[in-house]
Every structure is written in structure tokens, then in C-alpha cells.
Amino acid sequence: MNEFDLDPEEVRRLGHRAADIVADHCAGLRGGPVFGKVGTSAALFDEPLPEVGRPADDVLDVARDHVLSHPFGNSHPRFFAFINATADPLGTVADYLASAMNSNCWGGDHAAIHVEDRVIRWIAEILGLPSDAEGILTSGGSMANLTALAVARQAKAPGVREAGFSGTPPLVVYASEEAHTCVDKAVDLLGIGRRQLRIIPTDERFRIRVDELAKAIAGDRQAGRRPAVVVGTGGSVNTGAIDPLGELADLCAREELWLHVDGAYGAMACVSEKLRPLFAGLERADSVAADPHKWLYVPYEAGATLVREPGRLADAFRRPAPYLAHDPDSLVTGPVLFNERGPELSRGFKALKVWMGLKRHGRKGYAATIEHDVAMARFLAEKVRESEDFELLAEPGLSIVNFRYRPSAHPEAGLDRLNRRIVNRLVESGAFFLAPTVVRGRTSLRVAIVNFRTREDDLLALLEEASRAGRELLSES
Ligand SMILES: *Cc1c(COP(=O)(O)O)cnc(C)c1O
């Protein structure tokens, strides 16, 4: 036996120690600072490559004391920045089990492939896609969008994998000004070129203007370009806006365009019968990106690409290799070759945490929890409306609220800086984590709630502390 090949009792002992560390970490969350900034402790990580090893217990101690103590904070009930969800502790357990199995999930007739296949079907069902829709779990939304857009590119320019784009009229992709930057990255990486990404303006509720979109498509056709893909957003990062997906589906049907919906943040809300109508039309999309690591609350990482028509993913990604050749009679052959549904060959068992979560909570459990997040956002927006100190900058979309500190009669000048300073002060205090954004040119205190731990009193405390910080900053200046 060597130091890698631990005996089972030692595996058990270390696992128990790790379980204790995890439980203590969870127990300490509410009482501790939200953001575990490393700051001056960075020197702790500044060490040369270890020449010789040390006992596992020592390494575990260091991880407990110096790593787990400095989290980004998104497990904390008062973390409101970006769209970084809180993870279901059951997902932590699932990741432990999955990594113990260490399955390589590119294909084969082993449990992990069946689990991922089932998870994809369940997500398709949540989204309202046909039961034969195909998909793949990805590392996150950015990869899910890239994967879907690669499929769209292949569908709209079938020779492109062999010939590239040389000598052909440019493909054009359309998305709103509120679309996530990963769409831009994907258009770039897929060789479509960012100049062929048309950014369409939005209406007063931050939704894509379908009339402007139609005009842009007509203009491109007239100029001899090939309109190919419309990217609708199902829950924008900035404000939670949902594009009119039904109208986009009509337009795409009329114009023979691929409709992709970036639902990385929002689409899982379709699990709720109450919220589902907001996404009417999503079920008509050709492809959808959705993130289990957002509103299914699984630990990072897990995104998902779903494609309506079977075979399309393989059209874009199949690349036969002799060392992966499979004999149909072989015992190894499994239900799905995930390496033919995306760019990766070796893949981890991300599906287990999603599968265990869906089995544990069911549709209803997720619906109730997502509805709770949305209710918290509406509660906050209501309190902002009632307050003399704050101004709502956008109606809450899903679980995102944009507002700013603006005590009565404070002139516009200086408000942006004041609100940025309020954010910094709140983060510095360790009591909250939010990140500012800009909404229609105004700096916003943006609160995104993808967090089953957040309660009304957390939000009331936020408003109280934000006004206090605002008053202090005004009196200091
Ligand atoms: C979060 C998000 C992304 C990016 O997803 P990652 O998982 O962070 O890569 C893309 N689009 C939208 C709408 C998102 O909310």
C-alpha cells in the first residue's frame, strides 16, 4: 500500500473529518462575514511547490483554516451579487459521491451516463421541450450557450465544419442589448465574428424590441447577409427581464431563423406553474441554455444545453476516432455518447447532484423555493417603494431588484458615486455582498436573490444599513 492507496478505514476517517468541517462551515455561515476576502492573508498561498508531502490531516487542517474561511460568500443569506446561487447541501454530498466514483462521462453503459440522460430528459420536461429533445450538461451557462450556438451555426451553415466561412455570405446573430456577454464570446469563438452580432434595443421593461429586430433582419437580408440565429434572453442578468419569447418564436418561424433562448438564470423557473407563463414560447425554442447551478441550487459547476431536434448536437460535434470506436455488440456501449454532444471528451459526473436534488425536492420543492426567491425580490421592491430614502430603478424581474439610495431632494449629480460607495461600504463591513450595476445610465444597488436562506429580515437589514451608510457618506463629504 502507498500513500495514494488509502485503506478504507482511513478513507472513512478522513471523510468523517471532512463532513465535520462542512457541517461547521454551514453552521457558521449566518454569524460570519459574507465575503471572506483574502486580502493580506494572500501570503498564506504563496509557497513553493512542495517537494515532499505531509500528512493528510495537516492538509485538511490548512484547507479548513485558510481555504474554507475565505469563501466568495454566495452560501450566505446576505449575498446578493451577480447571479451566484447558494448550494443545496445535498449537492455537496452528491459531489463527494460522484468524485468517489470518478466516472468519466463521455459514454458507456455505466450508471453516470444513464443518470445524465435522465437529468436531461427531466430538464427538457421542466422547460416544456419535446420528450425526444437532446442535451448535455456543461460547466455552466457560458458553455451551454456556446454549445447551443455551435449547433445553430451547423444547422444554418451546414458546410461550415469543413470549409469554415471563407467565401460565404456572413451569418448574422441577433440578441438584445441586455443579453449576456457569453453570447458575444460565443459568436467570436465560433468564427461568426462579433461584427455579425446585431445588438437590438430593448423596451421600457428591458425586453428585446421585436419591431427593431424585424427591421434589422430585413436590412441584413437586403445587404446579402444571412440572418441565422436569434438569441432571446429568459431572465437577463441585469434586471431579470424576459424577452417576449412567443413573439420571437413567431418571427423565427416566419423568417426561418434558429431561436436560441439563454435561460441560464431564469429558465428553471418554468418548474413553477405560477412563473411558467412568463416564459410562454420557450417551449418553441430550437435550443435553450439553463443553469442547474443557478436555480436548481446545485454546487458549481453545472449548466445545461437542450436542443429540440434529436441529432442536431451530434451533427455539430461528432468526430469519429478509432480509439473511441464502439462495436454495437460491445458490452461497453451505452445509451448516449456525450462526447458527440459537446466539445469535451473527458467529463465529470455533474449529473449526480442534479439528479439527487430533483429526486429529493421534486418539481414542487423547487417551485416553492424559486417562488420564495421571487417573493423576496417583490418584498424588497415594495419596501423600496415605501421608503423615502430609496428609488426603484426597475420593476423586479424574477428575483432581481434594482434601486438606489436617493434621500429626498438629493440632486442627480453625485448619486452614481454615492451609490457605488454605499456598495463598497456594505461589502467592507462584511454584513452584505452586493455588486453595483448600471441601469439606464444610473448606478444601481442590484440585489439578486437565488438563495433559499434569504429572509425578509435580511432585506430589511440591507435597507437599514444602506441608508445608514448613505447618511454617513453624505455627512463625511
Ligand atoms: C449566469 C448567466 C450566464 C453565464 O452563465 P455561467 O454559468 O456563469 O457561465 C449567461 N447568461 C445568463 C442570462 C446568465 O444569467
Side-chain angles (χ1 to χ4, degrees):
M1 186 137 18
N2 63 32
E3 70 196 51
F4 289 92
D5 191 13
L6 294 185
D7 88 44
E9 283 314 309
E10 185 60 359
V11 172
R12 190 186 315 280
R13 194 186 64 76
L14 286 172
H16 285 162
R17 278 208 64 204
D20 286 339
I21 291 171
V22 168
D24 290 344
H25 177 73
C26 291
L29 277 177
R30 204 170 249 286
V34 181
F35 175 38
K37 185 172 166 55
V38 172
T40 51
S41 305
L44 287 170
F45 301 101
D46 184 15
E47 60 173 335
L49 171 69
E51 201 57 46
V52 291
R54 44 202 286 205
D57 284 289
D58 284 8
V59 180
L60 204 49
D61 289 345
V62 173
R64 177 194 59 205
D65 297 341
H66 302 314
V67 180
L68 272 88
S69 53
H70 296 289
F72 199 24
N74 43 309
S75 298
H76 196 287
R78 295 185 175 186
F79 184 99
F80 304 123
F82 321 110
I83 304 184
N84 289 4
T86 293
D88 177 358
L90 187 68
T92 311
V93 175
D95 265 351
Y96 184 59
L97 302 181
S99 90
M101 287 180 80
N102 194 29
S103 311
N104 192 335
C105 298
W106 63 268
D109 190 17
H110 51 112
I113 301 299
H114 290 265
V115 168
E116 182 161 349
D117 189 32
R118 183 49 48 185
V119 160
I120 290 297
R121 281 163 206 279
W122 284 343
I123 294 175
E125 191 177 332
I126 290 171
L127 302 177
L129 293 172
S131 60
D132 61 348
E134 290 181 342
I136 181 169
L137 294 184
T138 62
S139 51
S142 303
M143 277 305 292
N145 281 293
L146 174 66
T147 304
L149 290 173
V151 175
R153 182 187 74 151
Q154 169 63 19
K156 291 295 168 192
V160 70
R161 291 183 70 196
E162 310 308 325
F165 282 119
S166 64
T168 62
L171 284 194
V172 188
V173 176
Y174 304 83
S176 91
E177 57 191 345
E178 294 290 314
H180 194 274
T181 49
C182 72
V183 174
D184 183 292
K185 278 192 197 172
V187 164
D188 169 7
L189 287 171
L190 292 168
I192 294 169
R194 298 176 59 209
R195 212 173 293 149
Q196 274 70 249
L197 175 62
R198 296 277 167 279
I199 302 297
I200 309 298
T202 54
D203 66 13
E204 71 295 343
R205 285 165 61 195
F206 306 94
R207 300 170 307 180
I208 193 166
R209 294 238 340 239
V210 181
D211 56 338
E212 293 288 340
L213 172 61
K215 261 190 245 165
I217 292 168
D220 282 318
R221 283 209 202 287
Q222 236 158 31
R225 291 180 284 259
R226 286 184 291 173
V229 184
V230 172
V231 179
T233 298
S236 69
V237 182
N238 231 13
T239 67
I242 303 167
D243 285 337
L245 301 177
E247 287 177 49
L248 292 184
D250 290 340
L251 179 89
C252 287
R254 236 176 13 245
E255 298 277 350
E256 295 185 0
L257 304 182
W258 183 277
L259 175 59
H260 170 68
V261 176
D262 177 8
Y265 155 48
M268 293 299 183
C270 289
V271 78
S272 150
E273 273 164 33
K274 279 189 207 144
L275 298 169
R276 191 179 176 86
L278 298 172
F279 295 85
L282 179 73
E283 70 288 349
R284 293 164 64 197
D286 294 296
S287 57
V288 181
D291 271 0
H293 68 207
K294 284 178 176 165
W295 251 343
L296 294 185
Y297 311 99
V298 302
Y300 290 106
E301 305 163 334
T305 301
L306 276 293
V307 177
R308 157 178 232 92
E309 213 182 302
R312 291 274 185 200
L313 277 155
D315 287 349
F317 291 107
R318 181 178 294 130
R319 176 58 54 226
Y323 43 86
L324 298 177
H326 55 283
D327 174 351
D329 300 328
S330 148
L331 291 180
V332 178
T333 304
V336 182
L337 287 168
F338 284 107
N339 64 309
E340 296 191 348
R341 291 190 180 181
E344 292 175 318
L345 177 54
S346 291
R347 306 173 62 249
F349 190 8
K350 292 185 277 287
L352 187 62
K353 58 197 169 193
V354 186
W355 188 76
M356 285 177 64
L358 284 164
K359 285 172 77 72
R360 164 72 184 88
H361 305 293
R363 225 183 222 285
K364 290 202 166 132
Y366 281 107
T369 309
I370 292 172
E371 285 165 15
H372 167 85
D373 287 346
V374 172
M376 287 299 98
R378 291 187 184 156
F379 171 82
L380 176 62
E382 211 35 60
K383 294 293 154 193
V384 165
R385 263 196 213 96
E386 287 166 11
S387 162
E388 307 268 286
D389 286 348
F390 296 99
E391 177 186 18
L392 198 62
L393 293 179
E395 282 301 312
L398 295 172
S399 63
I400 297 177
V401 186
N402 281 285
F403 62 105
R404 65 176 175 174
Y405 179 67
R406 186 181 194 179
S408 50
H410 193 290
E412 184 64 41
L415 279 178
D416 284 344
R417 178 152 182 273
L418 177 60
N419 278 277
R420 280 198 306 273
R421 293 179 74 199
I422 290 173
V423 168
N424 290 340
R425 197 157 275 205
L426 293 175
V427 174
E428 196 185 335
S429 76
F432 299 92
F433 195 139
L434 50 165
T437 189
V438 176
V439 174
R440 299 269 187 255
R442 296 161 172 170
T443 296
S444 164
L445 305 175
R446 174 179 168 287
V447 168
I449 303 165
V450 193
N451 193 331
F452 47 80
R453 295 197 173 100
T454 302
R455 307 184 304 227
E456 288 181 356
D457 55 317
D458 294 312
L459 299 168
L460 294 173
L462 170 67
L463 290 182
E464 201 170 298
E465 287 303 309
S467 334
R468 198 226 307 258
R471 278 195 305 277
E472 281 173 10
L473 286 163
L474 285 175
S475 72
E476 285 165 20
S477 59

